[in-house]
Each structure stands twice: as C-alpha cells, then as structure tokens.
Amino acid sequence: MDNKKDYLKQYADMAFKDKKQVLGNRFSEYCRLCTLKALYEKALSFDNVIGLSIGTRTDCVTEEILDYLVDLSKTKEIWVEYGIQSFYDETLVRVNRGDSVSNMKHWIKRTKEKGLNVCGHLIYGLPDETQDMMLDTFRQTVELNVDSIKFHPLYVVENTLLTNEFKKGKFTPISEELYIDTVVKSIVN
C-alpha cells in the first residue's frame, strides 16, 4: 500500500470487522499489542501526521500498552482519550458500561504517572443522573489532573435498550437548556 488513501480505506474496512470496532483508533481486548503497533506505526509513518489521539476505555488498557505509548510519545504527540462518561457506579451499571469507577481512576492515574496526555469524555444526561451528579463527575475528573475534557450530551441511538425505555416514556433525554447550564457550571467553577 503506497498511498495514504489506500491505507485509510483498508484501515476503515478493518475497523468494523465482526460488527465490533476491534481495530482503528480504539484499544480493544480483541487486539494484541502487535496489531496496535502495526496500525499506529503505519499511521505515524505519513509525513503530515504529528501524533495520535487514541480513544479507548480504561478496561482495555494494560501496562504494556501504556509503556508502548510512552515510547511513541518520545517522538510524536500521543493522547489517550478515555470514555469516562460518569463517576457513579450505579450509572455505569444502569447503562451497561462494563467498567467501574475504581478501575477508571486507577488507569487514568497510571496513564498520567507515565507522562501521557489524557483527555476525559463525560456524558451529561445519563439515566437517573442529576445535575449535581454530573457536576461531581466533572469535579472528580479535574481532580485526576486530566489535560482536557470533552463534554457530550447523551443521545438515544436506535435499536438499543435505551430506545425502548424512551419510547415507553421511562427515559427522557437531557434538555438543551439543562445540558448548556451544566456545561457552563462545569467550566465556570
């Protein structure tokens, strides 16, 4: 594969193998480190690529992967973007997140200890969360000294359990007003 367009097409084709995103820019328990190395090193080989921003979950990270990213960060800009969503275990269970607050905090701390850039993704409007809970998740994220935070409103995706709850009136998405108010309160405080 000699050009970037062909590589990116193959890269995208592999990303959704078996209806799961097992390759691409996400760590996964289905990927071995050698696969990640091959993908990341190929992506970084293009002249205009200055680094990687790798979106993942904390339950998919290992010390071996972090050590590899530290090596890459010696010559390229490397960001690890963790989908935190919430720092409430009851919420994580409710949305079938498959991760825990203690595990997320452990791996975020380990990633920071290794000197890597960390971005945390928060979702405002998760089922049964109050504004105080959302603001507390933000506060806890800041306390972990992450380098950046991205805010997302929860949206209902077709053909999910949440869709069924929404259609039955058992779940109401966050309003635009509450979302904006929560983001503003996060930033101002």
Side-chain angles (χ1 to χ4, degrees):
M1 237 171 299
D2 293 326
N3 69 49
K4 184 166 45 173
K5 184 177 178 184
D6 289 341
Y7 170 70
L8 293 174
K9 182 181 180 334
Q10 180 183 358
Y11 190 75
D13 289 345
M14 293 186 326
F16 293 95
K17 180 180 177 186
D18 298 327
K19 298 183 182 177
K20 293 183 180 179
Q21 189 170 3
V22 297
L23 300 173
N25 70 337
R26 297 192 186 275
F27 294 133
S28 173
E29 64 270 19
Y30 302 104
C31 289
R32 294 185 175 187
L33 183 57
C34 61
T35 302
L36 293 175
K37 284 181 177 182
L39 290 170
Y40 295 165
E41 289 169 17
K42 181 64 177 178
L44 290 169
S45 72
F46 296 107
D47 291 337
N48 61 343
V49 175
I50 62 167
L52 293 174
S53 186
I54 302 159
T56 189
R57 296 165 43 123
T58 55
D59 59 335
C60 298
V61 179
T62 65
E63 289 289 338
E64 188 178 37
I65 289 171
L66 291 181
D67 289 341
Y68 169 65
L69 295 178
V70 167
D71 286 342
L72 286 180
S73 72
K74 293 173 183 172
T75 58
K76 299 289 185 175
E77 184 170 349
I78 303 296
W79 282 80
V80 181
E81 298 198 20
Y82 287 120
I84 296 169
Q85 322 321 6
S86 172
F87 274 136
Y88 283 86
D89 280 323
E90 61 268 29
T91 299
L92 300 176
V93 169
R94 169 87 163 75
V95 298
N96 198 29
R97 183 73 175 124
D99 204 351
S100 69
V101 171
S102 62
N103 188 64
M104 288 191 293
K105 287 184 175 184
H106 168 79
W107 285 107
I108 291 168
K109 288 175 185 176
R110 289 297 297 138
T111 306
K112 289 297 299 170
E113 288 167 2
K114 290 183 177 283
L116 292 165
N117 298 310
V118 174
C119 175
H121 289 247
L122 307 182
I123 295 182
Y124 286 169
L126 290 164
D128 303 324
E129 283 209 344
T130 64
Q131 185 180 54
D132 286 341
M133 293 169 77
M134 292 180 256
L135 292 172
D136 185 54
T137 290
F138 172 77
R139 181 190 56 75
Q140 291 184 61
T141 303
V142 169
E143 287 173 357
L144 290 168
N145 295 313
V146 299
D147 301 286
S148 67
I149 297 173
K150 293 182 181 178
F151 301 100
H152 307 276
L154 177 68
Y155 61 92
V156 180
V157 178
E158 284 293 326
N159 302 316
T160 64
L161 294 174
L162 195 56
T163 301
N164 296 337
E165 290 185 26
F166 174 74
K167 288 179 179 178
K168 293 177 183 176
K170 295 181 179 179
F171 170 74
T172 303
I174 192 170
S175 68
E176 181 177 356
E177 294 78 17
L178 180 57
Y179 174 72
I180 291 170
D181 185 59
T182 308
V183 171
V184 168
K185 285 178 178 173
S186 298
I187 295 169
V188 170
N189 295 330

